[in-house]
């Protein structure tokens, strides 16, 4: 299952060069990951916090391909690509309104117990999303 998060670039996201600051791409992807976890897995932020089961990013491999500028409409497409015992990976791509890939990333996350801060097995909802 792929999810699509839509956004319009705002003035606070643009740096002195006049394009989106590189760290903002990661923020766009974070917002999109939250949508993916909820839509594909039925796993809301509130649900994660109430269970003390939290995803932690352990690796981001990102490629920047095209600059984004103020006012551009973009979409972040996200999907799950790999599930392990305690970790999972998702692919995220940022696309312009003109269907040009601006950025792509593979994000690996590990599930941890919020109290012990130790890795735990993937919840059934996340594992089921990979199987669907």
């Amino acid at each position: 299952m792929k999810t699509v998060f839509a956004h319009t670039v705002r003035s606070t996201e643009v740096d002195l060069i006049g394009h989106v600051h590189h760290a903002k791409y990661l923020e766009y992807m974070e917002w999109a990951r939250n949508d993916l976890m909820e839509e594909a897995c039925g796993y809301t932020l509130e649900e994660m916090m109430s269970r003390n089961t939290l995803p932690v990013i352990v690796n981001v491999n990102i490629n920047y391909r095209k600059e984004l500028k103020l006012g551009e409409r973009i979409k972040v497409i996200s999907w799950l690509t790999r599930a392990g015992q305690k970790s999972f990976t998702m692919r995220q791509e940022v696309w312009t309104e003109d269907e040009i890939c601006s950025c792509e990333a593979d994000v690996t996350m590990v599930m941890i117990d919020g109290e012990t801060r130790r890795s735990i097995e993937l919840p059934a909802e996340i594992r089921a999303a990979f199987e669907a």
Side-chain angles (χ1 to χ4, degrees):
M1 171 184 201
K2 292 185 179 183
T3 59
V4 178
F5 172 81
H7 180 71
T8 301
V9 175
R10 300 176 183 151
S11 61
T12 57
E13 300 162 359
V14 177
D15 62 19
L16 294 174
I17 298 173
H19 62 210
V20 171
H21 186 272
H22 70 276
K24 289 295 180 180
Y25 288 81
L26 295 169
E27 192 170 341
Y28 300 156
M29 291 181 197
E30 180 179 0
W31 299 336
R33 278 193 302 278
N34 291 338
D35 283 358
L36 175 67
M37 293 296 287
E38 185 169 346
E39 291 177 35
C41 306
Y43 217 61
T44 65
L45 289 173
E46 293 81 10
E47 179 73 15
M48 287 185 247
M49 292 174 69
S50 72
R51 289 186 186 192
N52 261 335
T53 303
L54 309 167
V56 176
I57 293 175
V58 295
N59 182 273
V60 176
N61 183 358
I62 190 166
N63 294 304
Y64 299 95
R65 305 225 177 265
K66 179 200 174 292
E67 66 183 348
L68 296 174
K69 296 184 178 173
L70 179 64
E72 276 195 85
R73 291 188 172 138
I74 63 168
K75 61 184 175 184
V76 181
I77 303 171
S78 307
W79 66 96
L80 299 167
T81 58
R82 185 196 64 80
Q85 283 294 110
K86 300 178 179 184
S87 67
F88 62 98
T89 302
M90 67 177 63
R91 176 71 168 190
Q92 296 189 278
E93 298 175 348
V94 179
W95 290 81
T96 66
E97 198 170 36
D98 298 333
E99 297 298 323
I100 297 170
C101 184
S102 176
C103 178
E104 58 192 5
D106 293 303
V107 181
T108 302
M109 304 177 86
V110 170
M111 295 303 289
I112 67 165
D113 178 294
E115 289 183 29
T116 65
R117 311 305 263 191
R118 301 274 184 209
S119 62
I120 58 173
E121 288 198 21
L122 290 182
E125 298 88 348
I126 294 175
R127 191 161 302 286
F130 280 102
E131 294 169 0

